[in-house]
Amino acid sequence: MKKRPYWLIGVVAAVIFLLVLFWPRNVVDDSTGTESSSDIKAEYDAAVKEQQQIVMPKKDSLDIIDDLYKKDKITEEQYLMLSIQASYDHDNLDPKYKGERPKRYDNSYLLRHLRLKFDTLSPDAQDALRPFILMPDDPGSYWYFGQKKMSILERLSIVPGVTAMDNPTKTGDKYTVTNNFGDAFNGKAALMKTALDEAYEKYRLLGMKEPKDWVAVYIHDLSASGDMGEEMFGMSNGTSRCVILIDKKNEGNVLKSVVAHELFHCFQEYIPLKSYTNEKWMWESTAVWAEEFVYPTHDTEHVYADYMFSTLGSDLLDDSQGRDYSSYLWWFYVYQKDGKTGTAVKTALDDAGSKGMKQALKDRKGIYDEIKEYALWNLNNDPFRYYSDAGKFPDKQPLMDTNLLVGDDQKTVNVNMGAGGMIYNHYFLHSSIDKIKFDLSTTNKNIDPGIGVQIVYRIGKTWFYEDVSDREELVFCRTRPPEKVDEIYLIVSNSDLDSSINTDFRIDTSGKCKPEWSGFTMYQWDHSFSKSVSDQVISKEQSAFASFSDRGYMISRDTLIYDDEADRFILKDQRITYRYETSTSVDYGRGCSFIWERDSSSTWGSDFIKYDDEDSAPIRMVVSKDDPLAYDVREHALKDPKNFLNYKSYAGWYKVPCDPFDGMQSGPPILYEQKDQSMVSGYGEGFNHDITANMSSDGKRISGSGTGMRVIDDLNIPVDIVVDYYYG
C-alpha cells in the first residue's frame, strides 16, 4: 500500500465519498416547541394519507410458477415450460397458474436457466423450447426477424420469416449491431453502438472478465412479452455466443440504459455465478445497478423504487414481486458506501461466483451494521435522507404502520420480518401523554443477535437519532421540555439472512415521571474542503484533485443528580450516541497509471450507562466561579468505550498499467484494498471547550451553547456544542 501523500491532511474537501450518516438535524434550534393536539392530529392524518398511496405489488404469473417450483410442487421441466408460456404466450396459460400479466425488464435469467438445463429435458420439451435458445439469425429461432409467434406448448411448427436480415454492422472486435427495421431505425442503431462502447469500457475498467467472443446485438420487436430487452446465449452450429435483443420502442436515455443493463448480463456470464437456477436476485439487482454505474444521470434504475419501498419487510434476497430488479437499492447503498467506485459490487459478484449469493453476503464484514444502516437510509424522509444521486433519488418512504398514541394506554406491537428484512413504525404523540415507555425486552440484540433497533424522534423542531439495539426499554418524560417528544420512527431490522423474526414490543403511555434533572449535551462538527493538486503531481494532470473531511457528533442524554454541597450536577445515567468519520481521497484524472487513492475510517456506537456510585460518577456541570447562576459544562470520557464503539477503516488504490512509450493501457487494472473492522478503545481526539450554561429565572432549566475545538495535526476544527437540562 502506498503511503498517503504528506499534503493530504492539509487538503480538504467536501468528500463525495463520506456518508452523511446519523447526523442530528436542526440541533442549534433552541425551540423545544410545543404543538397542539390539533397540529399533531393534522400531521398524523397527512402521514396516514401518504401511506395509503403506497401500493403493494401483486404477484404475477411468473411469481406463482416460481413459488410452486421452489416448493417442489412442479418439476423443473414443468417450471421451464410454464414460465416460457407465461412470458411469451400468457393468454393461453392454464388459469390455475395465472396471476398478473408479467411486466419484467427482461427474461434473461429464465432463458439462461433454459439453456443450462436444455439437455436434461424430455424430447417433447426440447422440441417446444428449442426456438428460444437458437441464434436470432436461425430461421428456426423464436427470435428470427419476421417470425410468426405461435404457442410453444401447442408445439406448432415454426414458420421461417420472409424478411431478409440486413448485414450486421461490426463494431471493432467486441460486438455487432443488427437493424432489421430499415433506415428509420439507423439513429437508434447508432445510439446503441455509443451505449455499447460506453458501457463496455466502464465494465472493463472495473476489472470484470470480458466476453470471450463478440456479442451479437439486435434491434427487435419484443412486444409479445413486453420486455425492454433480452440477453441470452444463442446456439448456432454447436457453438454459442452472447446475444442481446433491444426492443424497438426504447428511446433516448432509456435505450442506452437498457443496452448497459443487457451488456452487464453478458459480463456476468463470464464470472460465472455459483448457480444460475436460484440466484436471480443477484443476477438482476446488480444489472439494474449497472444502469446507475454507467449512466448516473439517467435515473432509469429508479423505476423499480416503488417495489422495494413497499416490500422492505420481506426477505432481503426475495426475488418475487419484482424484487429481483428493485433490490438494486441494496447495491445503490453499497456503491455509495464504497465511494461510488463500483469495486464493492464487483467483489460481491466474484464472491457469489465462488461461494454462492447468500454466503457472499453473509461473509461481508459488518453485515449486521450494514443491514441496520440500510434500514435507516431507507427511511428516506427529511431530515434523514442519505442517498445521493447525480440525477434525482425518488421521494419514497417505506410502507409502515402509522399510529396516533394517546395517554393512559398500553399496546403490543407485532414485529414480523423476513430474513434480512426491516419494518417501520411511525408514531405521533397526543398531548395527553406524560410518559411513554417502549418495552424492548423481547426485541433487542441480546435476545437475538440479528436484531437491530433504531429510533428517530422529534422534539419541537429538532430531530434526534439513537441506536437502541442493546436496550431493554426506552423512556421519555414528556413533562420535561428536553424530552417532549412529538413524533417517533421506530425501525427494527434483521441481519440474519437465514431466518425470519416474529416477536413484539410493548408501548405504555399510562405512567407518570418523578421530578428530576434531565436533558442532553451535544457535540457536532463538520469540516471539509478541497483543491486542485495538479502542481504536486509529477505528471502534472490538470484535473488532479484531492479532498479531506472530518465530521462527527456525540449526544449524551442524561439524568442528573444535584450535589448541593459542591453545587454541581453529576450523572445518574446517560444514553450516549457517537459517530466519527474521516476521509481523504485523491483523483488523478488520468486514463492510466494511478487513477485514485482512498483512505477512510469510521467509529460509531450507542450505549446506556447507569452510575450507581455517586462518589465516582462523572461531573456534568459545576457552578461557575464568576456567576452563582451559571454552570461550567464538563467534558468527560467514558471509562470503557470499547464496550460499545465499533471501528472500520478502508484504504485502497486503483491503477491501470501504462505503456512507458505511448502512455496507453498495457495490462489489466489493479485494485488494492485493505479493510479492517475491530473494536476501539476510545473516542480519539476530545473537544476542547469553555462552555457555560445559565439557569433560568424559575430555577428549572439550565441551558447554553457555544463552540469548542478539535485539533488534528495542524487543523483546528470547530465543534458546535448545545447544553439543555430541565427539572420536572
Side-chain angles (χ1 to χ4, degrees):
M1 173 63 195
K2 292 183 61 179
K3 292 184 178 179
R4 183 190 307 172
Y6 71 91
W7 40 265
L8 269 182
I9 295 298
V11 181
V12 186
V15 176
I16 60 176
F17 306 106
L18 183 63
L19 305 173
V20 188
L21 289 178
F22 305 156
W23 258 252
R25 311 304 167 100
N26 300 330
V27 296
V28 296
D29 178 10
D30 191 44
S31 170
T32 55
T34 56
E35 291 189 272
S36 67
S37 296
S38 59
D39 291 336
I40 292 293
K41 181 62 165 60
E43 291 176 351
Y44 163 72
D45 289 340
V48 170
K49 185 176 181 180
E50 183 176 351
Q51 283 291 305
Q52 290 172 342
Q53 306 303 312
I54 299 176
V55 179
M56 284 284 289
K58 296 180 180 179
K59 286 196 172 185
D60 61 27
S61 298
L62 288 174
D63 287 327
I64 293 172
I65 296 166
D66 281 347
D67 189 53
L68 291 171
Y69 176 53
K70 290 174 182 176
K71 294 178 179 178
D72 294 324
K73 301 293 186 182
I74 57 176
T75 66
E76 187 169 38
E77 181 169 302
Q78 290 172 321
Y79 163 75
L80 290 169
M81 294 281 282
L82 289 168
S83 296
I84 290 291
Q85 189 178 34
S87 299
Y88 302 103
D89 191 21
H90 191 264
D91 290 341
N92 291 316
L93 183 65
D94 189 324
K96 67 182 179 182
Y97 301 112
K98 271 191 177 180
E100 296 287 311
R101 181 181 290 273
K103 296 180 180 178
R104 303 298 174 95
Y105 192 109
D106 60 21
N107 279 304
S108 300
Y109 194 85
L110 171 62
L111 296 173
R112 179 165 305 95
H113 189 168
L114 171 61
R115 171 173 59 86
L116 293 173
K117 296 297 183 178
F118 186 79
D119 291 340
T120 68
L121 303 179
S122 67
D124 286 345
Q126 288 185 353
D127 287 343
L129 298 176
R130 183 174 288 104
F132 291 92
I133 65 170
L134 296 176
M135 286 285 291
D137 56 0
D138 188 321
S141 171
Y142 176 85
W143 315 106
Y144 187 74
F145 184 71
Q147 184 65 273
K148 185 177 181 181
K149 312 303 182 186
M150 296 183 176
S151 171
I152 60 171
L153 294 185
E154 293 178 2
R155 297 186 179 85
L156 297 180
S157 59
I158 302 297
V159 181
V162 296
T163 305
M165 297 178 66
D166 292 346
N167 291 327
T169 302
K170 194 75 174 287
T171 305
D173 296 324
K174 299 183 179 70
Y175 24 76
T176 63
V177 177
T178 300
N179 169 23
N180 291 310
F181 294 92
D183 293 345
F185 284 79
N186 284 344
K188 287 191 177 183
L191 195 61
M192 287 166 58
K193 294 172 192 174
T194 299
L196 286 164
D197 286 338
E198 292 170 343
Y200 197 104
E201 185 67 3
K202 290 280 286 188
Y203 304 153
R204 185 186 67 81
L205 287 177
L206 185 58
M208 297 190 70
K209 293 180 181 178
E210 298 181 54
K212 296 178 180 178
D213 204 345
W214 53 269
V215 179
V217 186
Y218 299 82
I219 301 177
H220 210 280
D221 182 357
L222 299 176
S223 57
S225 64
D227 294 336
M228 302 178 74
E230 299 282 16
E231 181 275 338
M232 60 181 183
F233 257 46
M235 302 295 295
S236 178
N237 298 321
T239 62
S240 63
R241 71 177 69 256
C242 189
V243 175
I244 293 175
L245 308 176
I246 303 297
D247 189 70
K248 65 178 184 178
K249 71 176 180 295
N250 294 316
E251 303 277 356
N253 287 347
V254 172
L255 174 63
K256 295 180 73 176
S257 293
V258 173
V259 170
H261 179 114
E262 302 303 339
L263 183 63
F264 195 76
H265 283 322
C266 287
F267 276 79
Q268 287 172 321
E269 296 274 13
Y270 291 91
I271 295 173
L273 293 182
K274 185 78 171 176
S275 167
Y276 286 112
T277 58
N278 61 7
E279 302 200 350
K280 181 169 59 173
W281 182 92
M282 192 79 173
W283 181 263
E284 292 296 355
S285 62
T286 54
V288 177
W289 162 81
E291 299 175 39
E292 158 70 18
F293 180 61
V294 179
Y295 297 116
T297 62
H298 288 186
D299 291 341
T300 52
E301 69 278 7
H302 296 320
V303 70
Y304 299 102
D306 279 341
Y307 289 6
M308 178 51 65
F309 280 100
S310 61
T311 61
L312 286 166
S314 302
D315 291 355
L316 178 68
L317 303 182
D318 178 19
D319 59 18
S320 67
Q321 297 174 278
R323 281 181 56 95
D324 45 347
Y325 293 90
S326 64
S327 291
Y328 83 92
L329 193 62
W330 166 259
W331 300 115
F332 197 100
Y333 158 76
V334 170
Y335 178 51
Q336 184 172 327
K337 285 272 295 181
D338 184 50
K340 294 193 174 182
T341 66
T343 58
V345 182
K346 191 260 183 185
T347 299
L349 279 164
D350 289 342
D351 289 345
S354 62
K355 52 190 171 185
M357 171 184 72
K358 181 185 287 189
Q359 195 61 47
L361 264 67
K362 289 168 67 174
D363 288 349
R364 288 180 62 84
K365 286 187 175 181
I367 187 65
Y368 170 82
D369 288 303
E370 280 192 326
I371 288 180
K372 185 169 62 176
E373 188 175 82
Y374 179 56
L376 179 65
W377 282 40
N378 290 336
L379 181 61
N380 197 40
N381 192 26
D382 290 332
F384 292 87
R385 295 184 189 270
Y386 301 121
Y387 289 109
S388 65
D389 195 353
K392 178 175 172 53
F393 193 83
D395 186 18
K396 304 291 183 182
Q397 268 198 288
L399 186 66
M400 65 181 77
D401 188 21
T402 302
N403 285 277
L404 176 63
L405 301 178
V406 297
D408 198 22
D409 192 17
Q410 296 178 338
K411 65 184 302 182
T412 299
V413 181
N414 179 247
V415 176
N416 189 359
M417 53 190 168
M422 52 208 66
I423 60 105
Y424 300 78
N425 287 277
H426 188 192
Y427 300 110
F428 291 89
L429 278 64
H430 191 267
S431 60
S432 58
I433 299 175
D434 289 337
K435 176 183 178 181
I436 182 169
K437 181 174 78 171
F438 290 88
D439 181 353
L440 305 172
S441 58
T442 57
T443 305
N444 62 68
K445 187 179 179 182
N446 300 317
I447 296 295
D448 188 318
I451 291 179
V453 186
Q454 301 170 92
I455 184 170
V456 172
Y457 54 95
R458 178 172 59 84
I459 298 175
K461 298 178 182 179
T462 304
W463 284 94
F464 296 90
Y465 162 85
E466 287 187 49
D467 181 349
V468 294
S469 302
D470 292 319
R471 300 277 299 280
E472 292 196 354
E473 70 173 26
L474 182 65
V475 177
F476 292 99
C477 292
R478 298 186 72 249
T479 52
R480 305 166 187 165
E483 296 185 43
K484 191 174 177 59
V485 178
D486 293 316
E487 187 177 356
I488 295 173
Y489 291 98
L490 189 69
I491 307 168
V492 187
S493 56
N494 174 21
S495 66
D496 187 339
L497 298 183
D498 292 317
S499 304
S500 60
I501 288 178
N502 190 356
T503 183
D504 57 52
F505 62 86
R506 287 165 291 283
I507 302 175
D508 185 350
T509 61
S510 62
K512 303 291 183 182
C513 289
K514 295 179 180 179
E516 59 185 345
W517 282 97
S518 65
F520 64 85
T521 295
M522 178 160 46
Y523 305 86
Q524 184 180 19
W525 66 99
D526 184 353
H527 189 67
S528 59
F529 61 85
S530 62
K531 72 174 184 180
S532 170
V533 293
S534 299
D535 59 335
Q536 300 181 48
V537 177
I538 295 176
S539 50
K540 304 297 182 184
E541 278 86 2
Q542 293 304 305
S543 56
F545 184 86
S547 60
F548 170 85
S549 180
D550 186 277
R551 69 188 306 159
Y553 72 90
M554 183 175 75
I555 304 172
S556 182
R557 285 198 157 276
D558 310 327
T559 303
L560 304 180
I561 297 175
Y562 177 61
D563 178 358
D564 57 352
E565 291 185 5
D567 199 359
R568 64 182 185 178
F569 290 87
I570 61 176
L571 286 168
K572 176 183 178 182
D573 58 55
Q574 65 180 152
R575 305 197 316 248
I576 190 165
T577 301
Y578 177 83
R579 188 165 190 98
Y580 168 53
E581 294 187 339
T582 183
S583 176
T584 60
S585 67
V586 186
D587 289 279
Y588 290 103
R590 52 169 72 120
C592 60
S593 188
F594 280 100
I595 306 300
W596 52 255
E597 295 182 71
R598 307 276 188 265
D599 279 291
S600 64
S601 66
S602 301
T603 307
W604 73 97
S606 293
D607 200 14
F608 174 76
I609 306 164
K610 187 174 182 179
Y611 300 96
D612 296 320
D613 183 1
E614 293 185 14
D615 292 334
S616 60
I619 300 170
R620 174 56 76 200
M621 295 181 291
V622 64
V623 68
S624 172
K625 295 179 180 179
D626 301 324
D627 185 347
L629 295 180
Y631 287 83
D632 296 330
V633 180
R634 295 286 181 86
E635 176 193 350
H636 75 277
L638 298 181
K639 293 181 179 179
D640 295 306
K642 63 183 179 181
N643 290 337
F644 76 95
L645 286 182
N646 301 281
Y647 173 78
K648 183 166 60 176
S649 68
Y650 172 87
W653 48 259
Y654 188 70
K655 180 179 181 180
V656 177
C658 271
D659 187 293
F661 298 103
D662 60 15
M664 302 297 289
Q665 180 175 348
S666 60
I670 303 170
L671 171 67
Y672 174 87
E673 293 183 300
Q674 180 177 329
K675 301 178 182 180
D676 178 53
Q677 179 142 355
S678 59
M679 304 304 290
V680 294
S681 58
Y683 287 122
E685 293 81 6
F687 315 105
N688 300 319
H689 67 79
D690 185 15
I691 302 298
T692 298
N694 297 301
M695 181 173 285
S696 62
S697 58
D698 62 3
K700 291 186 176 182
R701 187 175 186 181
I702 301 175
S703 60
S705 62
T707 302
M709 196 68 65
R710 282 170 50 81
V711 179
I712 301 179
D713 295 333
D714 58 345
L715 293 176
N716 293 321
I717 299 177
V719 180
D720 294 324
I721 303 171
V722 178
V723 179
D724 196 359
Y725 293 91
Y726 184 86
Y727 182 78

